[in-house]
Amino acid sequence: MALLDDILKWSESDLHPWQQDAVRRLFQQEGGLSEDDYAHLYSLLKTAHGLPNPLNLKPLPLAAAHMPAALKAGEAVVLKTMRDLKHVNRIASDQELNFAPTGMTVIYGGNGTGKSGYARAMKRACRARDQVEKVLPDANDPDAQIRVPEVTFDIDISGTPKSVKWTAGTASPDELATIAVFDCHCARAYLTTEQEVAFLPYGLDVVENLANKVLPELSRRLNVEIAGINVDPQPFDHLLGDTEVGRLILALSEKSDATKIKALGTLSEQETKRIVELDHALAEADPKAKAKELRLSAGRLKGLVARVESALAWVTDDAIKKFRNLDDAVVVANQAERLAAEGLRSGESLLPGTGEPVWKALFDAARKFSTEVAYPGIEFPNTGEGAVCPLCQEPLRDASDRLKRFEKYIKDNVAKAAVQQRQDVETAKTKIQRANLAVGLDESLTGELALLDETVVPTATAFQTTLDVRKTWMLEALNSHVWDEAPVLSENPRQKLRNIAARQLKSARTFERAADETKSKALKAERDELRARHNLFGTVEAVLALIERMKMKSALESCNQDLKTKPISDKSKEFASSAVTAALKTALDNEFKALGIGHIGTKLKERNDKGKTKHRLLLDLPTSNKLEEILSEGEQRAIALGSFLAEIKLANHSGGIVFDDPVSSLDHKRRGKVAKRMAFESLRRQVLVFTHDVVFLHQLRDECDKLSTTPLICFLEIAGGRPGIVSEGLPWAHKSFADRIDKLEKTQKRFAKMPWPADPSEELASEMIRQYSFLRATLERVVQDLVLNATVQRFRDYIEVSKLNLVVGLDKLEVDEILRLNQRCHDVVEAHDPSSAKDEPPPTSDELGQDIEDLKKVIEVIKDRRKKAKGAATTT
């Protein structure tokens, strides 16, 4: 329909995605939106403005797949069969529901027979507005949660056959969407602000409800949530003041920098101590003297640091490495020297130890005696004529060469190197022995340190101990030449001492500034800033939470721009003006008259909107504050039916139409008018009617009979514990006597083929008795429809007087035969408690066949008499 197409285009172009989702829900939820719908839409609205989406919802906008499809020019879609129903309630999957390609098809089913299952699937597949009731699988199926309902439809598109499938949860085929389905929301009457009853065309209620129901409800929820957000900054008034914190608190808003506030509310240990320091400085009576005292303290601490560094230098890892290298060199040099001495003694018998250090000392003394006393000015050894050995003072003779060789050995590099290495080690050893590693941590200094930092005294004491241990170990290693696993130094107090000294100097400068009137003001400002930050520290999380609430409130308030109803109300009026025409008024008047509500007239009311003349279609009814005081539920249903048929007519829609229980809330008189209107419509198009109303079923048959058209009638029943079993024709209670006799004969033939046993079982006997119950009911229907010529019928609200001319009466033999057959049925049927002594067997299949033949003979006799009477009346 054109209006629905316009609404879809408007939704796609003008509405936000969440609003498009709302339009879809309004279109599909015929009975109105549920609490879940409103909750989801509210969440989608907030998500659109950057608020959290805990449900992870995404908008599903209205689309063409949710609406009836328009037929192409000259195209007609005809439903032929509804088959292969899978997981549709408990309906058996092998059932087929056939439809007449032209005229009317009536599907009748009582409660629990599966009619609703077929109808709901039809509505879903054809995109009816009534989408509230879902198509569900068999609740008794343990795998019901994973079952997906589906239905196959055989259709005919302008003479071309085609099969399409509908599956729950997916878009229905466009071909099926061209089938128009009536529901009670096809149109509605509503009260205007002037208490006039206005007519709302099909689909326009979606726009109206968006403006008048959905947006106000979401606005109400929004206002409630906003009102519940506490953004009062008063609890933080104690933070106000001429500080950075105070200025930030004064200007708190959703735009406040939370990172900056959090940083201001986080104080380091040093900053916390600084507050105490500033308090002391500003409270000091003689800050200059205090500054001097602090500087002296810093000097003492610096001296301690210097002593620690000096002592540490002797036992560092580098120092140990240096001593080890010296020791290793001595060991190597001594080894080389021993090897050289062994070479000196080789080949000659010399005293043990010759060439070794003791011997070298003796030789060096002999050289000194020779060059300085015995033979001054003569190079050693003196081997000239008359020279004697400086040690034994005997002539050298042959020993002169040995003495030269000894001198050469002494002057050799190996020996010199060994001597030098031993001297270096001795020098180093002497230095470390004499080194004073005491850092001077006396009682006075210890007390001072304890007041400044209680942790530094144990650290310094332990460090002093490890310094001494290392020194001792190093001296022992020089003797043992074992340098593995040097004692570990404990924590060096140097950095702590430096920091304390620095703090003392800083404090000294602070006290010096406190002594200066101008500079003390800056100190007070610094203290105020730190105090404000310290106060903020205790409430920073609360302040940050307030900012988050402010952000939340601001974001929620921004949602209001999406909840303005005027643009949508204006659009609704625009749609209404284009949809409300004189042709619609005329069509509605005609339909209302046909449906028995002709007393509800219509009138077009002009109104001027910005220079344009627009129309509103009103129902000519008295004014009231409540619609139900003006229109009954039945009248509102009739208005919806009339609106549906009027708009179908104006849209030149030639496809099929479907009605599901269209006469709910209608009295029997108005049901008859609806039946008449539907019968007439079936002359123009395919009409499908689902109903559980047996009176309405007969009214539809009667109206079709009057138009000389035969509806296709199917009925649904339960068989084998499964609902939805399809049978063509009427249920037994509504079949004609001819159809009933046909069914009785088929059953009798089935009995005869068995063949019928002489002593039938209880089950078989019960089935035979049931057939006689059917035979009695058939006999009664013969009396109603044949003997009385259907002049009086059950479920009909009038007597067909015009048929009295063919009520031909009965002679005594016919009456006796009818009474005999009736009594025969009474005797067989267990309408009363039979005598246990009687215990007669049920009739045989042959006896049933004979009784059926006897009834047929009576029928033929009456029909013959009627033909003769009709012929005589014609001749007359």
Side-chain angles (χ1 to χ4, degrees), residues 370-615:
S370 175
T371 57
E372 293 181 6
V373 178
Y375 305 111
I378 299 173
E379 183 179 1
F380 183 79
N382 182 10
T383 57
E385 186 176 351
V388 298
C389 173
L391 293 176
C392 65
Q393 296 189 10
E394 290 291 332
L396 290 176
R397 299 185 188 92
D398 297 335
S400 60
D401 291 337
R402 183 184 302 118
L403 193 61
K404 288 180 180 179
R405 184 158 52 87
F406 284 170
E407 178 61 12
K408 182 177 180 302
Y409 167 75
I410 292 297
K411 291 181 177 181
D412 189 74
N413 287 335
V414 172
K416 284 185 177 182
V419 171
Q420 185 61 48
Q421 292 295 340
R422 285 191 289 273
Q423 289 177 349
D424 291 344
V425 168
E426 285 300 320
T427 301
K429 185 176 180 180
T430 300
K431 287 181 178 180
I432 194 170
Q433 284 175 333
R434 295 175 179 176
N436 183 10
L437 302 191
V439 298
L441 196 62
D442 57 24
E443 184 177 350
S444 175
L445 191 54
T446 300
E448 182 179 357
L449 283 174
L451 292 174
L452 296 173
D453 185 344
E454 61 183 10
T455 66
V456 74
V457 173
T459 302
T461 302
F463 190 69
Q464 176 68 77
T465 300
T466 55
L467 287 176
D468 295 336
V469 169
R470 270 212 168 194
K471 175 182 176 181
T472 301
W473 176 84
M474 291 171 65
L475 290 172
E476 291 176 352
L478 285 173
N479 294 326
S480 65
H481 311 299
V482 177
W483 295 89
D484 296 334
E485 298 182 2
V488 178
L489 283 171
S490 65
E491 180 185 355
N492 190 339
R494 177 177 49 191
Q495 192 58 49
K496 284 186 177 181
L497 293 170
R498 282 180 174 177
N499 292 340
I500 295 172
R503 286 204 305 271
Q504 293 293 82
L505 284 175
K506 184 178 179 182
S507 294
R509 287 192 290 270
T510 299
F511 278 91
E512 288 167 352
R513 292 172 65 193
D516 185 293
E517 184 177 352
T518 302
K519 293 179 180 180
S520 68
K521 291 181 180 179
L523 291 180
K524 289 178 181 178
E526 180 186 356
R527 181 186 62 179
D528 292 343
E529 290 287 348
L530 288 173
R531 280 182 175 178
R533 289 179 60 196
H534 183 268
N535 293 336
L536 174 63
F537 169 75
T539 57
V540 66
E541 293 301 324
V543 173
L544 294 176
L546 175 61
I547 294 173
E548 287 303 311
R549 292 197 299 274
M550 287 178 167
K551 289 180 179 179
M552 171 67 78
K553 184 177 181 180
S554 177
L556 288 172
E557 288 173 340
S558 71
C559 294
N560 277 311
Q561 60 189 339
D562 288 1
L563 299 175
K564 296 177 180 178
T565 59
K566 189 176 184 302
I568 297 174
S569 296
D570 290 344
K571 196 65 182 182
S572 177
K573 294 173 184 177
E574 180 182 331
F575 284 140
S577 294
S578 61
V580 174
T581 63
L584 176 59
K585 177 187 181 307
T586 301
L588 281 174
D589 287 340
N590 292 336
E591 293 298 340
F592 287 178
K593 184 176 181 180
L595 295 173
I597 54 171
H599 62 283
I600 302 177
T602 62
K603 58 182 179 182
L604 284 173
K605 182 178 180 180
E606 291 186 356
R607 60 184 177 88
N608 189 280
D609 185 5
K610 297 180 181 179
K612 294 183 180 180
T613 300
K614 297 185 177 181
H615 296 90

Side-chain angles (χ1 to χ4, degrees), residues 791-846:
T791 302
V792 179
Q793 287 192 352
R794 285 169 286 188
F795 305 118
R796 182 184 289 169
D797 55 0
Y798 61 92
I799 295 175
E800 193 73 59
V801 179
S802 62
K803 292 187 176 183
L804 281 172
N805 64 325
L806 293 180
V807 177
V808 295
L810 300 170
D811 60 25
K812 188 175 185 308
L813 290 175
E814 294 163 0
V815 172
D816 289 344
E817 183 63 8
I818 290 175
L819 292 174
R820 182 190 70 78
L821 289 171
N822 189 55
Q823 186 60 46
R824 166 74 165 158
C825 293
H826 273 295
D827 292 341
V828 175
V829 175
E830 297 175 350
H832 303 283
D833 185 19
S835 171
S836 58
K838 189 175 179 180
D839 195 22
E840 293 185 0
T844 65
S845 60
D846 292 339

Side-chain angles (χ1 to χ4, degrees), residues 214-277:
V214 175
L215 297 189
E217 171 59 20
L218 297 184
S219 182
R220 182 193 68 78
R221 294 178 182 228
L222 182 65
N223 290 334
V224 169
E225 185 170 359
I226 290 174
I229 299 176
N230 181 9
V231 291
D232 183 8
Q234 186 176 359
F236 308 108
D237 283 355
H238 66 286
L239 298 175
L240 296 174
D242 189 18
T243 63
E244 185 176 10
V245 170
R247 290 186 288 274
L248 285 174
I249 295 299
L250 182 64
L252 275 181
S253 72
E254 71 278 2
K255 296 181 180 179
S256 295
D257 188 343
T259 303
K260 185 173 183 179
I261 290 175
K262 189 172 183 179
L264 285 173
T266 304
L267 271 73
S268 66
E269 182 181 357
Q270 184 178 354
E271 287 172 325
T272 302
K273 290 180 179 178
R274 178 64 172 166
I275 296 175
V276 177
E277 180 184 335

Side-chain angles (χ1 to χ4, degrees), residues 8-220:
L8 176 60
K9 292 176 182 177
W10 164 71
S11 170
E12 293 173 337
S13 62
D14 291 9
L15 298 184
H16 299 292
W18 77 264
Q19 293 174 322
Q20 296 176 39
D21 186 287
V23 172
R24 174 189 61 80
R25 292 173 190 260
L26 286 168
F27 194 91
Q28 293 183 324
Q29 304 290 89
E30 171 182 301
L33 300 190
S34 66
E35 173 59 28
D36 282 347
D37 288 319
Y38 280 114
H40 290 174
L41 288 174
Y42 187 51
S43 180
L44 289 172
L45 164 65
K46 294 197 294 184
T47 301
H49 288 267
L51 290 164
N53 183 8
L55 298 178
N56 197 28
L57 296 172
K58 294 182 180 179
L60 178 59
L62 178 71
H66 303 125
M67 307 176 71
L71 284 168
K72 297 178 182 178
E75 185 179 73
V77 176
V78 175
L79 286 170
K80 295 169 64 178
T81 306
M82 186 178 183
R83 60 180 173 84
D84 296 338
L85 285 79
K86 296 180 180 178
H87 312 302
V88 177
N89 302 156
R90 297 187 66 242
I91 297 175
S93 60
D94 59 351
Q95 294 302 295
E96 289 189 2
L97 189 57
N98 295 311
F99 311 110
T102 58
M104 181 181 291
T105 300
V106 183
I107 301 96
Y108 169 79
N111 292 332
T113 59
K115 179 188 72 67
S116 295
Y118 282 102
R120 288 172 189 171
M122 178 75 77
K123 287 180 180 181
R124 289 274 175 172
C126 297
R127 301 181 190 170
R129 283 285 305 278
D130 184 4
Q131 298 279 317
V132 176
E133 296 179 312
K134 296 181 179 180
V135 180
L136 301 174
D138 183 0
N140 296 320
D141 184 348
D143 296 324
Q145 291 184 342
I146 62 173
R147 302 297 190 197
V148 180
E150 62 179 53
V151 182
T152 298
F153 292 86
D154 293 330
I155 61 175
D156 189 288
I157 305 176
S158 299
T160 303
K162 184 178 181 180
S163 293
V164 294
K165 180 184 288 186
W166 167 80
T167 303
T170 63
S172 65
D174 288 340
E175 296 88 346
L176 295 179
T178 62
I179 304 296
V181 181
F182 167 78
D183 62 66
C184 64
H185 282 250
C186 285
R188 70 178 179 93
Y190 69 100
L191 282 173
T192 68
T193 54
E194 296 84 13
Q195 273 67 55
E196 296 175 311
V197 183
F199 169 81
L200 204 60
Y202 177 59
L204 194 53
D205 63 306
V206 169
V207 186
E208 287 280 310
N209 287 336
L210 180 62
N212 298 333
K213 291 185 178 180
V214 175
L215 297 189
E217 171 59 20
L218 297 184
S219 182
R220 182 193 68 78

Side-chain angles (χ1 to χ4, degrees), residues 626-641:
K626 295 183 179 180
L627 190 63
E628 58 268 23
E629 294 177 355
I630 307 172
L631 295 172
S632 68
E633 188 176 345
E635 286 173 322
Q636 293 186 53
R637 167 71 66 145
I639 288 173
L641 274 167

